[in-house]
Amino acid sequence: MGLTSSLRFHRQNNKTFLGIFMILVLSCIPGRTNLCSNHSVSTPKELPSSNPSDIRSSLVSLDLEGYISFDDVHNVAKDFGNRYQLPPLAILHPRSVFDISSMMKHIVHLGSTSNLTVAARGHGHSLQGQALAHQGVVIKMESLRSPDIRIYKGKQPYVDVSGGEIWINILRETLKYGLSPKSWTDYLHLTVGGTLSNAGISGQAFKHGPQINNVYQLEIVTGKGEVVTCSEKRNSELFFSVLGGLGQFGIITRARISLEPAPHMVKWIRVLYSDFSAFSRDQEYLISKEKTFDYVEGFVIINRTDLLNNWRSSFSPNDSTQASRFKSDGKTLYCLEVVKYFNPEEASSMDQETGKLLSELNYIPSTLFSSEVPYIEFLDRVHIAERKLRAKGLWEVPHPWLNLLIPKSSIYQFATEVFNNILTSNNNGPILIYPVNQSKWKKHTSLITPNEDIFYLVAFLPSAVPNSSGKNDLEYLLKQNQRVMNFCAAANLNVKQYLPHYETQKEWKSHFGKRWETFAQRKQAYDPLAILAPGQRIFQKTTGKLSPIQLAKSKATGSPQRYHYASILPKPRTV
Ligand code: FAD
């Protein structure tokens, strides 16, 4: 037998053996391709060829507590944005941090001979494919159930959770101890790892900073497969890199989140303005005060005369006769939404405090609406909307959302043009707008914000109606977003995208500005092969035929791996 045929023979034998092994395993446990429960991190010693079926077999041979699946990849091929369909090769359902570390080490071991990349997937609530890994491995973080949610009371209470845990579960559990995280997102069915990779911004962020401000410690599996515990004092470079790091530096497997005493109830108030300056002045006034509301947000109402009637089901007007006389006459309105937390025994002092704060504001007097609801009901409010939309088949539609961070100095110019000239209605989804205080936000994280102490989050959150034309059509909504972005660029408003998405290296560099070098250096340090979160389209994995020896040499000499940028990535296929 010649050398080539001998190799072929061995490969075929290997394949036959693996095939039999696979059948045995699959026949015992349907849906699972690996059931070993050894804790040690192991990688096959020999490199498979770059042939997809060999790569597949090499994944199957990993010694895991959880399992790998191949047949259900379509379940993780899309995200909430619902515009791209990029199936991975495999899904890892991890049971432990060791499973994740094993997978990463294995892919590092394959080096640049394979084009396997890895995306941790929270709940896939990204908008433009950020949690997808085309022909790579998606790690389904919700399978990682350890640690259980563990609460520590005391002077500085905190909770330890898995990176795949969703915030609503954390809230339910901490409330049993009278405690709660401090900073939220508007929707709680998002994962800890997913929001900490972005920022986690909501109406509490002016007071407590975003969610990335309220983390004491993280456990990370880096792009090299190392398991590292980090905090502000320990491995701080990794800690700050990962917070707001768009999944580029490591996978968050555990987080320690700070807690505060939870209130039982909230007073939830909405008032309207027709003058943007008065609205934003009041918002800024409220976020600058020490004694103020616990939550400050706001939204824009363009051409929605129906809205006040809709509120009546959940909000009561302060004066119903006056409220019924109010006519918006198709004007653009700005709604200030504020909340004060309270316990039932503090109801009267809370009423006095809110009354005083409201008396200092300049809203249209007949438009004061309020409601009192349990704290958990307020925080989980978007889930109620989700259930209604799901029932109508309007949840799993394309979501061409656009989130912007706009410096205070530009907000008036932005609002004047965008809310009066570019948008003619917001029938297809809410537009949120509220300011935050950057001075309360931690520096050194990877999050990029405008360079002013006060900036606004403006979120356009439309749903496209499939097979529609006109203003609910996806193409129309995307063009509208583009018009907003073009205006921001032409008027030089120094706007930054939140949940950013760019196509070219130039755009990413301009997003990061002076901090690009640090971001790229951190990538080099923690994920030198650019394996992680390919769907962000910032770096592309280098695939050449580098042998393991060459790889080891390049690591030993510290010679940098080459980066490729989003500009040369294939464009995602539109659904
Ligand atoms: P995914 O979409 O699954 O992942 C997001 C990114 O993080 C991906 O790149 C992924 O690879 C990476 N990632 C996921 N898990 C990990 C991990 N454990 N370790 C490392 N990287 C990981 N955001 C706000 O800030 N404020 C809001 O008020 C808000 N409201 C929202 C409301 C709705 C209805 C929706 C759909 C989204 C909202 N978001 C909000 C956006 C949300 O923060 C992002 O969608 C975010 O991506 C979280 O979603 P996810 O947990 O499903 O993460």
Side-chain angles (χ1 to χ4, degrees):
M1 216 188 296
L3 185 61
T4 353
S5 44
S6 157
L7 280 175
R8 202 178 306 129
F9 172 75
H10 279 295
R11 219 179 282 149
Q12 267 164 6
N13 267 357
N14 273 345
K15 272 188 194 163
T16 320
F17 169 74
L18 277 169
I20 294 167
F21 178 70
M22 286 269 296
I23 291 164
L24 278 174
V25 170
L26 283 169
S27 60
C28 296
I29 308 222
R32 296 188 172 196
T33 53
N34 195 314
L35 79 168
C36 301
S37 61
N38 189 341
H39 280 233
S40 68
V41 174
S42 69
T43 51
K45 295 283 174 290
E46 283 175 28
L47 282 180
S49 78
S50 50
N51 177 328
S53 69
D54 289 350
I55 296 273
R56 233 173 121 116
S57 308
S58 83
L59 294 179
V60 172
S61 70
L62 281 172
D63 190 2
L64 303 171
E65 287 178 61
Y67 65 100
I68 292 176
S69 60
F70 297 95
D71 298 337
D72 51 352
V73 289
H74 57 276
N75 290 337
V76 295
K78 288 203 281 182
D79 58 18
F80 180 76
N82 218 340
R83 289 172 44 212
Y84 303 113
Q85 183 151 22
L86 299 166
L89 176 73
I91 306 177
L92 170 65
H93 306 258
R95 279 282 151 72
S96 69
V97 61
F98 302 105
D99 285 354
I100 298 176
S101 171
S102 291
M103 176 58 73
M104 289 308 301
K105 286 196 168 165
H106 176 62
I107 295 175
V108 169
H109 179 70
L110 298 180
S112 47
T113 56
S114 98
N115 57 6
L116 278 185
T117 52
V118 171
R121 182 179 176 97
H123 263 206
H125 279 107
S126 292
L127 298 165
Q128 283 127 326
Q130 288 92 336
L132 311 182
H134 193 208
Q135 288 308 305
V137 178
V138 163
I139 303 184
K140 224 171 164 196
M141 294 304 295
E142 67 185 318
S143 306
L144 183 68
R145 306 304 314 173
S146 68
D148 298 334
I149 301 176
R150 278 193 218 133
I151 291 139
Y152 297 84
K153 296 169 97 173
K155 267 194 178 165
Q156 283 200 317
Y158 61 82
V159 59
D160 278 340
V161 295
S162 145
E165 195 54 80
I166 54 173
W167 287 95
I168 181 67
N169 291 345
I170 300 171
L171 177 61
R172 287 202 188 106
E173 207 51 39
T174 54
L175 281 180
K176 292 180 190 163
Y177 297 78
L179 295 167
S180 158
K182 301 169 184 167
S183 188
W184 294 100
T185 47
D186 293 347
Y187 177 58
L188 306 190
H189 297 248
L190 306 168
T191 64
V192 168
T195 67
L196 295 185
S197 297
N198 286 298
I201 306 175
S202 184
Q204 299 85 358
F206 78 91
K207 207 173 219 178
H208 298 292
Q211 290 182 319
I212 55 173
N213 249 51
N214 295 282
V215 182
Y216 290 143
Q217 195 186 75
L218 295 170
E219 178 186 76
I220 304 294
V221 178
T222 68
K224 299 177 190 170
E226 294 158 343
V227 182
V228 183
T229 302
C230 57
S231 65
E232 277 188 33
K233 299 225 165 96
R234 184 174 165 196
N235 299 312
S236 60
E237 179 83 9
L238 178 61
F239 182 71
F240 287 118
S241 302
V242 165
L243 295 171
L246 307 174
Q248 294 302 304
F249 311 106
I251 295 175
I252 300 168
T253 47
R254 183 173 56 75
R256 178 165 292 177
I257 291 152
S258 72
L259 301 174
E260 65 178 3
H264 282 97
M265 299 291 293
V266 311
K267 176 120 184 163
W268 189 357
I269 300 165
R270 287 175 175 176
V271 292
L272 292 177
Y273 297 74
S274 54
D275 175 21
F276 181 78
S277 299
F279 165 73
S280 59
R281 208 169 32 243
D282 280 357
Q283 280 191 321
E284 288 174 22
Y285 172 69
L286 289 175
I287 68 160
S288 69
K289 275 177 81 78
E290 260 317 302
K291 270 199 139 196
T292 184
F293 290 104
D294 295 293
Y295 161 103
V296 176
E297 282 203 11
F299 50 92
V300 188
I301 303 165
I302 307 173
N303 223 346
R304 293 284 312 266
T305 32
D306 57 324
L307 217 96
L308 295 190
N309 290 333
N310 288 353
W311 284 359
R312 283 176 208 283
S313 56
S314 41
F315 286 84
S316 321
N318 195 38
D319 180 330
S320 41
T321 328
Q322 268 197 29
S324 63
R325 279 195 213 120
F326 174 75
K327 295 274 175 293
S328 71
D329 300 328
K331 277 194 293 253
T332 296
L333 296 172
Y334 305 95
C335 177
L336 170 69
E337 182 174 69
V338 287
V339 158
K340 190 83 184 157
Y341 299 162
F342 71 102
N343 290 319
E345 65 277 14
E346 304 150 356
S348 73
S349 63
M350 180 278 300
D351 272 335
Q352 275 177 11
E353 269 181 61
T354 51
K356 184 165 181 307
L357 285 167
L358 288 170
S359 72
E360 291 161 355
L361 306 180
N362 290 302
Y363 57 89
I364 303 166
S366 57
T367 63
L368 170 58
F369 290 81
S370 69
S371 153
E372 286 178 14
V373 296
Y375 177 61
I376 187 166
E377 191 180 308
F378 165 68
L379 288 179
D380 202 24
R381 61 199 177 279
V382 176
H383 189 50
I384 298 167
E386 173 186 356
R387 280 206 292 257
K388 287 184 188 159
L389 289 169
R390 275 191 191 280
K392 292 184 198 158
L394 290 176
W395 184 256
E396 287 179 13
V397 296
H399 294 104
W401 288 9
L402 178 65
N403 290 270
L404 301 174
L405 304 177
I406 301 174
K408 170 183 158 157
S409 62
S410 305
I411 196 67
Y412 183 76
Q413 202 184 345
F414 178 89
T416 309
E417 176 64 16
V418 175
F419 305 141
N420 296 314
N421 296 334
I422 298 183
L423 304 186
T424 51
S425 123
N426 69 321
N427 265 330
N428 35 39
I431 303 170
L432 308 184
I433 177 164
Y434 55 92
V436 289
N437 285 332
Q438 183 142 229
S439 56
K440 303 228 169 121
W441 294 29
K442 285 185 182 152
K443 298 184 179 72
H444 313 301
T445 67
S446 293
L447 176 68
I448 298 294
T449 54
N451 202 10
E452 280 182 26
D453 180 31
I454 292 180
F455 61 85
Y456 282 73
L457 176 83
V458 180
F460 301 90
L461 310 173
S463 300
V465 180
N467 307 320
S468 73
S469 56
K471 293 184 177 167
N472 291 328
D473 172 50
L474 177 62
E475 289 309 314
Y476 177 90
L477 293 166
L478 288 172
K479 273 193 196 133
Q480 195 165 267
N481 287 349
Q482 196 52 56
R483 284 182 66 198
V484 173
M485 292 309 292
N486 291 348
F487 167 69
C488 293
N492 220 354
L493 299 188
N494 296 319
V495 163
K496 295 289 177 194
Q497 276 190 39
Y498 176 54
L499 311 172
H501 171 75
Y502 298 105
E503 300 285 343
T504 65
Q505 173 191 1
K506 200 171 152 213
E507 287 168 317
W508 275 115
K509 279 190 164 179
S510 136
H511 175 77
F512 282 100
K514 281 192 279 191
R515 294 173 58 193
W516 168 255
E517 284 303 316
T518 308
F519 195 80
Q521 276 161 14
R522 287 171 164 184
K523 183 73 175 174
Q524 175 63 41
Y526 301 118
D527 180 25
L529 290 180
I531 293 168
L532 290 168
Q536 298 280 0
R537 301 158 67 79
I538 307 172
F539 302 101
Q540 190 187 29
K541 188 176 177 190
T542 314
T543 48
K545 297 286 173 195
L546 222 59
S547 73
I549 295 163
Q550 283 172 312
L551 198 67
K553 266 191 189 162
S554 86
K555 273 185 200 153
T557 57
S559 66
Q561 299 290 320
R562 278 177 307 129
Y563 287 136
H564 293 269
Y565 300 99
S567 52
I568 55 168
L569 280 173
K571 282 212 176 231
R573 189 155 48 87
T574 306
V575 176

